[in-house]
Amino acid sequence: MASPIIRIDNIVKRYGPLTVLDGLSIKVMPGEKLALIGPSGSGKTTILRILMTLETISGGHIEVDGEQLYHMRKGADLISADERHLHRMRKKIGMVFQHFNLFPHKCVLDNITLAPMLTQGAGRADAEKRAMELLDMVGMADKAKAVPAQLSGGQKQRVAIARALALSPKIMLFDEVTSALDPELVEEVLNVMRRLAAETDMTMLLVTHEMGFAHDFADRVLFFDRGKIVEEGRPEEIFRNPKQERTQGFLRKIIAAGHRV
Amino acid sequence: MASPIIRIDNIVKRYGPLTVLDGLSIKVMPGEKLALIGPSGSGKTTILRILMTLETISGGHIEVDGEQLYHMRKGADLISADERHLHRMRKKIGMVFQHFNLFPHKCVLDNITLAPMLTQGAGRADAEKRAMELLDMVGMADKAKAVPAQLSGGQKQRVAIARALALSPKIMLFDEVTSALDPELVEEVLNVMRRLAAETDMTMLLVTHEMGFAHDFADRVLFFDRGKIVEEGRPEEIFRNPKQERTQGFLRKIIAAGHRV
Amino acid sequence: MSVWSGYLTLILEGALVTLKLTVMGSALALVMAFLAGLGRLSRFFAVRALATTYIEFFRGTSIFVQLFWVYFVLPFAGITLTPLQAGVLALGLNVGAYGAEVVRGAVKAVGRQQTEACVALNLSRYQRMRHVILPQALPLMLPTFCNNAIELLKGTAVVSLISLTDLTFQAQVVRAQTGNTLIPFTTILFLYFVMAWAISTAMRWLERRMTRGLDGVRT
Amino acid sequence: MEWDWDFVWQIMPTLLEGFKITILATILGALVAAVIGLALAIARRSPIAAVSRTVGFVSEFIRGTPLLVQLYFIFYVLPDIGIRLSPLVAGVIGIGVHYATYTAEVYRAGIENVPRGQWEAANATNLTTRQAWIHVILPQAIPPMIPALANYFIAMFKETPLLSAITVLELMNQAKSIANSNYRYIEPMTLVGVFFLAVSLLSVVGLRWLEERYARMDD
Amino acid sequence: DDKLNDLKEQGFARIAIANEPPYTAVGADGKVSGAAPDVARVIFQRLGVKEVVASISEYGAMIPGLQAGRHDAITAGLFMKPERCNAVAYSEPILCDAEAFAVKKGNPLKLTSYKDIADNTNAKIGAPGGGTEEKLALQAGVPRDRVIVVPDGQSGVKMLQDGRIDVYSLPVLSIHDLMDKAKDPNLEVVAPVVGAPVYCDGAAFRKQDVALRDAFDVELKKLKESGEFAKLIEPYGFSAKAAMSTTRDKQCTAAQ
Ligand SMILES: Nc1ncnc2c1ncn2[C@@H]1O[C@H](COP(=O)(O)OP(=O)(O)OP(=O)(O)O)[C@@H](O)[C@H]1O
Ligand SMILES: Nc1ncnc2c1ncn2[C@@H]1O[C@H](COP(=O)(O)OP(=O)(O)OP(=O)(O)O)[C@@H](O)[C@H]1O
Ligand SMILES: [Mg+2]
Ligand SMILES: [Mg+2]
């Protein structure tokens, strides 16, 4: 059996007196598609942000692609990672945010080429060629010269996905990428993600409130509550036959509110 | 047959060069529950805002409860309504907004009693008694002294509904009252509205993207597109058996995005 | 030493004049700020035009020119004010014009949504302002008002140009009489700073009181 | 006293001389304020508490005391410790440093107003801190600052008459000198008012343009 | 004369004075004295106006203040000059003084007259704005950019010490007073300035108030004749004889 590409080991995350993640451990195999679901405030976003090194951790260890994320070896000791180490580790990971976070002062094409040119030393011509391929894939090739303010939410999010893909990370993180969108625009983004899931062997972690999509997309679903994993399993099991009472209650409410499973 | 409580007659609404409503006519019977659905930008919010006199109209007439809304009689002529006429007409209508628009500097109870005390000359004791009944109805009696900042979105929206009801309007307007809420909180608000629809004979107009709820709630569904009514009918007909191609396309997208009908 | 204590008294008398100017000028500025700030939001064109003219004129010309006019030119129109009145009038009108923009900005920042909620609840224009908009706008105005009050305090230094015996003027007198520059100027710098500090402390206290229990209002 | 047009034409060239100095002082002062303000803003973010506290206190002090008194200090007291500046240089430094304490706040707000998500996106696309500043943060932070900065430069312009206290022959001083030697006050002082109003109105138009040009771009 | 009656009724007259010893002095107790206010106080008392309220004013602001009705009289060492005689109504002469220069020790630029300053292209002169000295310098041909308008005497001395100006010009007694206070061995006085006339000030009234001025003159004359005048002003260093040997008409028409 192959070794996990992500090994989260007994992670603790505190904000002041508030413990948000409390000894969480997860293993993710290469190519696996994981959906993280659960009530608001349960720590789903936090775990993605920790993987993207946008937060610090209060305890525990994370191994990504065979290397420590927040620590590095110095002789025999494991010490806190410095900026250079983090910079190297971030190459393996890309993230798409709920609110897109496109660079508003740059056109779509420049949003995508900026990082490859600055961090991977790609030439402009190469970077733009690759960017156009990605824009083509997300169906946005005709908007290459538009600035973000001219795009609809769904279009922005497709550009954000292309931007993250441009760095060819091994792992992609998606945090509620459709929840800021008008209902009609959700589908165009989910379609892009379905293709992505089907066509690449990237490892993907997805936080979503779209149960139907989680069901179609994921190999494995983790149900979070209060910073812990309460239940996990194949989507069929979790959605059709949840074992834990909390999971049942959560799904009942969501379904009552008009979401299909 | 009773006469309509709302008679919208050939309404035109323009913003500069943009025509948002183009000769729209609707009749609503007393006690009827209407759901307005349709794609983003089709003018659903606009028509509610016009009924609430939050906009002006560019052409046409509206009759509410037997009187002109935007016009008044002066001798034999029909002239533009003045502030006093509007003030009298607004007594008949209440509205609940997508973003609640509670008064953040007043506690829940004061939010509800403010308007009855100022506009209907109600005494504090009477106003508070009625407010507590309404809070009880929306399940918020225990939060009477809380300020809005301490409430969740669903709780805020239930207070907003109570606030609108406190003026006992004949007509209630609801504009996407759940779309700013976390999915889990949607249900508590919809439950309140279901009770409301069942227990009162108020006339209600509802704009929503929750097709399931529109289906349960409405006597009649109007499908809007580009400022016109493309199709209307009983919920069963519209949702199960739409005749127009645009309606079919819209519903297909919404359903694909994970909403139940 | 005794001579210096006498001159110190003189400077403190100047501080009293500065204090009076600041307090009375701020009071006038506050009134003007609300009149003109709300005036600019009026639905009547004439009121808007009047408020706009006042604001642009007093923000546009320099306080020096305004002082000069109030003090030397108004008397030709038959209005002779004491130096203190002239100082209060010029400073109050000047700072009031800046304050008007603060009032307008804060009222607008409270937002269309709150106004619409009021319309839907059928409140009258006056009731909207009184019960919903202003109570929320006031805490937004306070920090800028604090800055304005300090600007006014500093502005009082220029009234020494119209022979008002304020702090700066008294420092000049002491300097002429004693031939010492460092001591009077250091003393008044210190006094100005103490007054500015007192203003911001008072405003912070007021702000805390007004926003008590209203966390998150501004988000 | 009646208005005398001949006199107006006669004094116009002299006033224009003064006007040139006023403009020069404003431009140089603006440059000083822009540069020192950025330095103050950065120093206040310093992780070394002693640095950020000291800079904070000094800024507060400068902001809480009148520019007039500061100018006296620079011009009449500094020579005692061997720093003798020409009137214009002293004026430019005085007014520039005074306003630097204001522009520093503009810089700070501008930088903080760039949404946190932009830093995070820069991180997620693996840019270094330096690259994030240059390519993502500053290009977004600076344009929205421009109107606020311009606003302070206009305010500076209106305070240049203070420079007459340290013998700079700017517009106000020229006007006073004309008035004193001719015993006619209304014409020169009114003309000064007109000059100031004209520049202010023009700059209001300019400011509106800047505000539109550099309105916040939203994601 | 209405004006005098008004003043009697209100019990005080408002006078403008300068912040310039020995014409004016302000004690540490805030009490105003000095030659000019002392004379004014006595005369107004004799006219039946019990008190004078003095306000210190810039030279440049005195005449507009008088015209705007802010003061009833100026008693500030504002010397009579033909243009000023046109702008205000002067009393008979009160305080007379010649002009003086304060210069660096040894008078390095050898400046003894306003003409000298005009001829030396490096020399800068400081003088009060709107004062006699500024006018004399300009008339002698000193270009505007070498005539520095100095806000007050103390600033003038300071600027001279700091080398910002080469000459500071004021009336003799004012310069002496400043020098006494400065106690600076590196400065010296050139007095009187060669070719500059002796000037006298008088109490200045509004043109409309000639009647008040005339009443003032009557009392002034009595004061001079009784010898009390000399007792009032000589302690400050002024010469009573100088004032009594000239007249307003001479001063106002003196060819410049
Ligand atoms: N910067 C912060 N400071 C303090 N508490 C925080 C911070 N960020 C998050 N939290 C808290 O951490 C907890 C977990 O937040 P997180 O955003 O991970 O939840 P989530 O599962 O993503 O919820 P949602 O579905 O609402 O996005 C919450 O209680 C939240 O209030
Ligand atoms: N104040 C305004 N100025 C200009 N155009 C406006 C204004 N308000 C609304 N519109 C335009 O009017 C059209 C109809 O808007 P409306 O808000 O009624 O749509 P909607 O059906 O409620 O859409 P949604 O489902 O997104 O809320 C849109 O094209 C919108 O851009
Ligand atoms: Mg989250
Ligand atoms: Mg809408």
Side-chain angles (χ1 to χ4, degrees), chain D residues 86-146:
Chain D
S86 80
L88 187 63
V89 171
V92 164
I93 288 179
I95 207 166
V97 170
H98 192 87
Y99 275 89
T101 61
Y102 291 88
T103 54
E105 291 296 303
V106 176
Y107 286 119
R108 193 183 55 77
I111 290 167
E112 280 176 9
N113 267 345
V114 175
R116 234 171 69 110
Q118 292 294 313
W119 279 106
E120 298 185 343
N123 256 331
T125 50
N126 209 8
L127 303 186
T128 64
T129 308
R130 220 178 85 91
Q131 288 169 334
W133 271 111
I134 295 174
H135 296 280
V136 177
I137 304 303
L138 285 182
Q140 292 182 67
I142 288 176
M145 290 177 196
I146 288 175

Side-chain angles (χ1 to χ4, degrees), chain A residues 182, chain B residues 15 18 20 38-46 176 209, chain C residues 112:
Chain A
D182 278 336
Chain B
Y15 290 109
L18 180 74
V20 174
S40 189
S42 56
K44 310 178 296 294
T45 294
T46 304
E176 298 196 33
H209 283 286
Chain C
R112 226 180 56 161

Side-chain angles (χ1 to χ4, degrees), chain A residues 7-8 11 50-51 60-64 67-70:
Chain A
R7 196 194 298 265
I8 294 172
I11 281 290
I50 286 175
L51 282 171
H61 287 268
I62 299 180
E63 206 184 282
V64 171
E67 285 182 273
Q68 287 290 320
L69 182 58
Y70 280 97

